[in-house]
Amino acid sequence: MSFPTKLSRTILLLTFLLTLLTQSNSYEFMSNWKLPTMITPKDIATDMEVKKRFGDKKLVVITGTSSGMGRKCARALLLTGEYHVIGAVRDMDKMEAIMELDSYDPSLFTPMHLELNSFKSVHSFCENLDKFKGGKHVDRLICNAGIYQPSLDHAKWSEDGHEQTMQTNFLSHFLLISKLLPDMSESEDARVVTVGSVTGNDNTVGGGGVYPVADLKQLDGLKAGFQNPVSMLDGYNFIGAKAYKDSKLVLMMTANMLHDRYHKQTGISFSSIYPGCIAESPLFREKRPWFRKYFPVFMKFVTGGFVGEEEAGQRLFQTIHDPRCSKSGVYWSWNGGPREGRGAEALEKGGQIIGAGGSGGGWDSIFENEQSDKVKDIETTFNLFKYATQVTGAEWPEPHVAKSPCPTLKVVGLVTAAINAKEEAKRMKPEPGMVGAIDLKAKAANNFDFITQSTVVKVVKAVQDRFLGELPEDAIQGSFQEEKKVSEAPLEHIEHKVAGEGSHVEILAGHHDVADVHAKVGKEDTQPMRERLSAMFEKTEL
């Protein structure tokens, strides 16, 4: 090759690099670059061990594979021969029986114990998973397991003292994601899928037209530590059906937050899914027998919204397997409106319509569903992520994007940060007059609730107890703790935001004596604070 030719190529290369560096986003293309590492004999041995154990198969972790949609999804994954599935389950004996019934290949499926009512169990599961997989990275995480306790008029508590529905469905999955995120970021095609629900998405009839509606309000319950006896994220009294709907809402919000914080940084795809109404699911095991018998009939032949476990499992499998579903930040659903294409065909097929029509839309009917304003509420999502991190003790990587290497920016940034810290310290100092008055509409709502609970609700409950029969034993038993009175709650300082923009005071969690808080608030704020605390204690103490 002649010297002029080499020179011309060098000039072209330099021109190309200069063009990249002069663009406004010139450093973004380098954000995922990694320094080359020296390959050691130990690395070679680790790769050989991983290849021997897993081959080219992707490693999938699914919670709740012993029943329902999780079981069907796991079976679909194994039939492809492309995955090794870790079944994270509470009941190992039941899982081993399912492995025999469904003829699982033990070389492709590994059951591991995970009790989602215990943060300690989540940590133990991750330790056992790390030992089992060795140098293999987790490629898929599906947060599927969930419980539904709509008939209870009181909360059941987890081992950690949190309401069971929210810890099982959300908090423990939140912690699990944080534990596996660093490892999954090393995978070339990693996906995290959370199972949401139409009931948590209030821009639909199922989510916004059926009482109770998912609503986190100001997250006062989570902000206060969400500890027994605080049973709801919004800080209000317990409603079993709402606890489930709230848990699905926050799972969808979490997928969005993870997408915004970590997708570009790690390459992991974060999404949520609504598979359809699985009316025959074990999810309804704590409902009364009459409901479990007639609800599937209603969904099959009246609304047309019925989806069988097999179809739901296929849909969850699709979000894991289909290349189209590698897109991040999406709420996946399937086409097929209620009551479409029903008629005689529905009777012939037992209400299950596969393909276009009904809720049995097939593989190609998947679409990116619209999320409600609550799901997309950025401020509430940010606070949810912050408070859930505090409650669970989750540790997250610091999110970052490509930054300009300009030295002037770094120096000026350090000076500005120091000034900001000094000014923020001034603004955080409690001063009289910072606490706002109680919202009159909140007073009216509390009065209305008191009247209805004293009359209508009691009548309805009496009729229900008389004609609907007893709750199943599973719905009543299973609380890891007794419900605590307010006076038994831990006396720890928490920051509590009171009505009024930017207003903060410190109160003692679970403290009965309003007068003792007087000194912390200021004389002019005594009456509003007294009313607010009194209302809180009335709602919390049983």
Side-chain angles (χ1 to χ4, degrees), residues 430-433 435 486 491-498 504-537:
E431 294 181 3
V435 181
V486 174
L491 293 176
E492 57 185 18
H493 282 79
I494 61 171
E495 186 184 41
H496 184 77
K497 184 172 182 180
V498 189
H504 291 77
V505 295
E506 272 193 334
I507 67 171
L508 291 176
H511 209 293
H512 268 88
D513 195 346
V514 180
D516 288 350
V517 187
H518 173 70
K520 289 182 174 291
V521 182
K523 292 182 179 180
E524 60 273 32
D525 303 312
T526 303
Q527 188 59 29
M529 176 57 74
R530 184 185 299 277
E531 293 178 6
R532 178 173 282 262
L533 290 176
S534 297
M536 182 179 71
F537 295 142

Side-chain angles (χ1 to χ4, degrees), residues 204-506:
T204 63
V205 174
V210 179
Y211 176 83
V213 177
D215 189 353
L216 306 177
K217 302 191 187 310
Q218 301 303 312
L219 288 168
D220 287 343
L222 185 61
K223 185 177 181 180
F226 194 58
Q227 194 79 18
N228 184 355
V230 179
S231 59
M232 299 290 287
L233 295 189
D234 59 13
Y236 285 66
N237 288 337
F238 178 74
I239 302 178
K242 186 177 185 297
Y244 174 80
K245 293 182 178 183
D246 284 353
S247 74
K248 294 303 178 179
L249 169 60
V250 296
L251 281 169
M252 295 161 67
M253 295 169 72
T254 299
N256 290 345
M257 175 59 83
L258 291 170
H259 165 75
D260 291 339
R261 288 171 66 96
Y262 297 117
H263 172 60
K264 288 185 178 180
Q265 177 177 331
T266 65
I268 300 173
S269 169
F270 301 96
S271 62
S272 56
I273 164 185
Y274 171 56
C277 182
I278 316 169
E280 294 176 331
S281 169
L283 184 67
F284 297 108
R285 60 183 171 269
E286 295 191 17
K287 293 289 287 184
R288 289 180 170 84
W290 72 267
F291 181 91
R292 297 198 300 271
K293 180 177 180 180
Y294 293 111
F295 181 60
V297 176
F298 176 77
M299 295 303 296
K300 287 179 181 180
F301 303 111
V302 179
T303 70
F306 176 85
V307 173
E309 287 185 357
E310 192 75 38
E311 179 74 12
Q314 285 289 330
R315 291 178 176 185
L316 183 55
F317 161 69
Q318 182 175 4
T319 62
I320 301 166
H321 184 73
D322 192 339
R324 290 174 291 183
C325 297
S326 63
K327 185 175 181 179
S328 187
V330 177
Y331 170 47
W332 296 109
S333 295
W334 285 258
N335 278 315
R339 300 185 65 84
E340 290 182 20
R342 312 305 289 175
E345 188 179 7
L347 295 174
E348 293 171 3
K349 296 184 178 181
Q352 180 66 71
I353 304 296
I354 301 296
S359 288
W363 192 270
D364 290 328
S365 70
I366 191 171
F367 71 99
E368 299 177 24
N369 203 350
E370 184 64 29
Q371 302 179 57
S372 69
D373 291 338
K374 288 178 183 175
V375 178
K376 295 188 291 187
D377 187 317
I378 297 174
E379 181 180 2
T380 304
T381 301
F382 176 83
N383 288 330
L384 169 72
F385 197 89
K386 178 175 68 173
Y387 299 141
T389 297
Q390 294 172 355
V391 168
T392 60
E395 297 179 359
W396 299 96
E398 188 68 27
H400 64 79
V401 295
K403 296 181 177 67
S404 169
C406 173
T408 304
L409 175 62
K410 292 182 178 180
V411 173
V412 173
L414 289 173
V415 174
T416 303
I419 295 174
N420 281 342
K422 182 179 179 180
E423 293 302 316
E424 285 297 310
K426 292 180 182 178
R427 295 178 63 237
M428 290 295 290
K429 182 180 178 181
E431 294 181 3
M434 294 178 66
V435 181
I438 290 180
D439 192 334
L440 293 177
K441 287 189 287 187
K443 285 184 179 180
N446 289 338
N447 291 335
F448 176 78
D449 288 344
F450 176 77
I451 294 171
T452 54
Q453 288 179 14
S454 300
T455 55
V456 179
V457 174
K458 288 184 178 179
V459 173
V460 172
K461 191 175 187 306
V463 173
Q464 174 179 287
D465 293 342
R466 174 67 179 82
F467 293 103
L468 300 185
E470 298 294 329
L471 283 171
E473 194 67 18
D474 286 347
I476 301 170
Q477 303 298 325
S479 184
F480 286 76
Q481 297 184 359
E482 294 296 324
E483 183 157 319
K484 299 177 181 178
K485 300 295 184 182
V486 174
S487 58
E488 298 171 344
L491 293 176
E492 57 185 18
H493 282 79
I494 61 171
E495 186 184 41
H496 184 77
K497 184 172 182 180
V498 189
E501 193 63 26
S503 303
H504 291 77
V505 295
E506 272 193 334

